[in-house]
Amino acid sequence: MNSSSFLNSQQKEAVTTTQGPVLILAGAGSGKTRVIIQRIAHLIQKKMVPPQQILAVTFTNKAAEEMRERLQEILSGKHEGVHLSTFHALGVSLLRKSINHLGYLPNFIIYDKKDQFSVIKTIMEDHDFDDTGLIDAKSVHFEIGQAKSIGNDPEVFLDQQESQQKQIIGKIYRHYQKTMKGCNAIDFDDILNLTLSLYDKCPEVMDSLTERFRYIMVDEYQDTNRIQYKLLRHLTKQHRNLCVVGDDDQSIYGWRGAEVRNIFEFEEDFPEVKFIRLEQNYRSTQLILQAANQVISENTQRMPKKLWSEKQGGEKLDWLMSENEAEEMEAVTRRIRTKILQHGRRYLDFSILYRSNFQSRAVEEALREAKIPYRLVGGISFYDRQEIRDALSYLKVIYNTNDEVSLHRIINTPRRGIGKTALVQANTCCQEMHLPLFKVMVQARKYERIHKVSAFTMELFAGIINSYQQRFANEPLGEVFKELLDEVGYIRFLETQSGEPKVRKRRVMNVLELLRSVQTYSEQNPEASLQHYLERVTLFTESDSDTDDKANQVAIMTLHSAKGLEFPFVFMIGMSEGVFPNQRSIDEGREDEERRLCYVGITRAQQEVIFSMAKYRRRFGENIHQQPSRFLLDINPELLTVPIFGEATEESKKERRQESRSAFFTQFKHLEAS
């Protein structure tokens, strides 16, 4: 696609089919983002649709911003009014206007995963749930998230569960929702559930929205869950102009609620649907695509499509077999260094993909040993660092003083003489007076239960928060944030912490980087409020990472993190049974999603794919012999530089596939019944 105006015949059909429901099956590297952009431009330029009537939804802020920039290039500002956002950003914008109908205040705060853990742990401690030995905060958080992804509230969850463990989780879930509402806080799953509640409980409030958006497009449709699907049904109930773009072969997020059946069942809900397949791939060589097609064609349930490329031939897929995991990584790093020294490649041309996070340790150690620079994609987010969470907690409390998770985080950080005893005394007053903690702190000296010195300090602290509420409302965000950090002494606090000097310096630099980002945001958006900035940060996802992808470093990441990316050379390591596919997926009959993950990995490569594995891996003091991944055995040996010798016969492979098919259909029927 050298010319900016070129579209192949299938892409052109997708762009110009604008009325009624459309399902665009867009294979990996087939130019789907280009199609969405051109379709929006076609609606505005050729069909004369007002931009305000167009809604385009994707899954990351980064993708939405890229679409916005590309539309600007094509339409030179005539796209103003098109709503481009993530599902969650759309939900938040609606809730800010109408959440009062559901008993919340408009200045609600959004809790991230760590905030949620804090609430759950507090509930478990306060109600002695942690003494049962049956549950932990992580499993509770997962179960609550799973329940919310299908729209089940605590009472529905409790009605459906019989085990003692699940009953306890249901009770914690009930306390969790009550606590969150008391803090005027919601979590990510609440955003869409509450938006859906507005449609169910206050349809008249949402009528204007349904009227406004006449043309709706959804990217990465295979990643939608049932709540997002129901929301789309509401939005399109009048005009049915819904265009969804997705690829069931790249549905790899079932573990976080994504429902591939949303694609499979689209025709049932929209029988007049127009199917369009984008099968020409512009990324990879034909040989790589042949291998990818062979792997994915073994799946038990998929919508038929076959990727092809004009880049005929290409390098055969390579295969590295080593004795153990250390030697496997030595072989990988040696191959990278050889290509750089002999063929003039750059480090940023390479990526190393693995199935599970635990594999990253060996990868990082080997790259450091080989003095190969690398970047970890999808690791700890900048916004998850302790010092960043502390600094942002000040902003969250200033915005919403009912946010008690953030309030407890900063109340004595830096230390200001409000100890645990004083906090217990203040919380007792809260319970007796039925008041939030901050309101008690504002007039702490009037409560005899609270020690006088601590009460005075609480009032001083509350006074700082109140004064900055006024300042943030009337002055530039960047300037006020800098003065806030100075007044509370947070950077001085970091500089005097114990530990290694380089760690202290890094933490200070991180906070200064946060300050710089607030100042830049404020300069670029002079009318933006504290609410707008906090929403931007809270809706930030791993896929929106600011990591410099132009830096000359090898990219290492899990296969899940690799989706949407591409590299000239892709190493897929640990390609053995029990590692990939992982053993749990094998045991639970979820081979199909693992196979899709393998397909995603292969199709990240532009020029070469190199598989690797170790014959033996060390586990619990023993050397375990490993077999090649079943996915590799589906690739025609003629596509490989050397044959992959596995102990699986054609007959045993057929048996495994039949078992997988049976497990899939059992699971699919169960989903249909529910």
Side-chain angles (χ1 to χ4, degrees), residues 300-574:
T300 55
Q301 179 80 6
R302 63 185 292 263
M303 304 190 82
K305 71 188 79 67
K306 194 169 185 178
L307 289 181
W308 62 276
S309 172
E310 290 182 345
K311 301 175 185 177
Q312 292 300 310
E315 296 291 330
K316 288 188 175 184
L317 286 73
D318 213 345
W319 169 237
L320 305 176
M321 171 79 86
S322 305
E323 281 297 311
N324 54 52
E325 291 165 297
E327 290 185 15
E328 177 188 5
M329 287 314 305
E330 283 178 18
V332 169
T333 56
R334 187 164 56 249
R335 181 63 61 88
I336 292 173
R337 293 183 72 85
T338 298
K339 285 188 176 293
I340 287 173
L341 293 171
Q342 296 181 2
H343 305 286
R345 293 295 179 178
R346 301 165 299 170
Y347 290 118
L348 61 80
D349 293 334
F350 300 87
S351 72
I352 301 175
L353 311 182
Y354 41 85
R355 173 61 181 84
S356 303
N357 280 309
F358 76 84
Q359 294 170 272
S360 71
R361 180 194 60 78
V363 177
E364 291 190 70
E365 287 180 359
L367 291 172
R368 284 197 295 266
E369 180 72 22
K371 294 183 171 53
I372 294 176
Y374 69 90
R375 60 188 174 94
L376 175 63
V377 179
I380 295 176
S381 163
F382 176 78
Y383 295 103
D384 274 342
R385 291 175 168 85
Q386 179 181 328
E387 61 274 14
I388 302 303
R389 294 179 67 81
D390 286 347
L392 288 176
S393 289
Y394 275 95
L395 299 183
K396 290 179 180 180
V397 172
I398 288 167
Y399 175 66
N400 173 12
T401 55
N402 286 336
D403 179 2
E404 296 201 357
V405 169
S406 296
L407 180 56
H408 276 95
R409 186 178 188 96
I410 64 172
I411 200 168
N412 212 29
T413 305
R415 293 188 179 280
R416 52 178 56 92
I418 304 174
K420 289 184 179 179
T421 301
L423 276 176
V424 170
Q425 294 165 347
N427 281 309
T428 302
C429 294
C430 293
Q431 294 167 9
E432 291 174 351
M433 305 301 296
H434 303 289
L435 290 172
L437 178 58
F438 189 79
K439 284 199 172 180
V440 168
M441 291 175 65
V442 169
Q443 303 180 67
R445 282 181 290 177
K446 90 172 194 178
Y447 300 102
E448 294 183 1
R449 184 185 294 276
I450 305 175
H451 188 274
K452 287 185 178 180
V453 175
S454 295
F456 180 70
T457 307
M458 286 181 184
E459 290 187 11
L460 286 177
F461 175 71
I464 292 173
I465 298 299
N466 282 330
S467 69
Y468 276 92
Q469 284 182 323
Q470 297 299 317
R471 295 195 59 188
F472 273 109
N474 299 297
E475 301 174 43
L477 297 182
E479 293 178 17
V480 181
F481 186 40
K482 181 180 186 305
E483 292 181 27
L484 171 66
L485 291 173
D486 289 340
E487 181 159 349
V488 301
Y490 188 68
I491 291 179
R492 292 193 301 276
F493 162 72
L494 292 178
E495 290 171 337
T496 56
Q497 290 294 287
S498 59
E500 295 184 26
K502 64 180 181 180
V503 174
R504 292 199 300 269
K505 183 178 180 181
R506 185 174 68 242
R507 296 182 70 192
V508 169
M509 293 305 293
N510 284 339
V511 174
L512 292 176
E513 176 62 20
L514 176 67
L515 172 60
R516 186 196 63 77
S517 76
V518 176
Q519 291 171 332
T520 301
Y521 179 78
S522 180
E523 290 166 4
Q524 294 175 347
N525 306 274
E527 302 300 317
S529 65
L530 181 57
Q531 170 196 309
H532 293 136
Y533 177 75
L534 288 174
E535 275 181 13
R536 174 180 175 273
V537 171
T538 307
L539 295 175
F540 183 94
T541 69
E542 284 182 5
S543 300
D544 295 313
S545 172
D546 291 326
T547 301
D548 183 5
D549 57 5
K550 297 294 187 292
N552 192 23
Q553 301 169 320
V554 174
I556 69 171
M557 69 199 83
T558 64
L559 283 150
H560 284 99
S561 297
K563 189 168 175 292
L565 303 178
E566 58 183 38
F567 303 90
F569 302 93
V570 169
F571 288 84
M572 293 175 63
I573 68 167

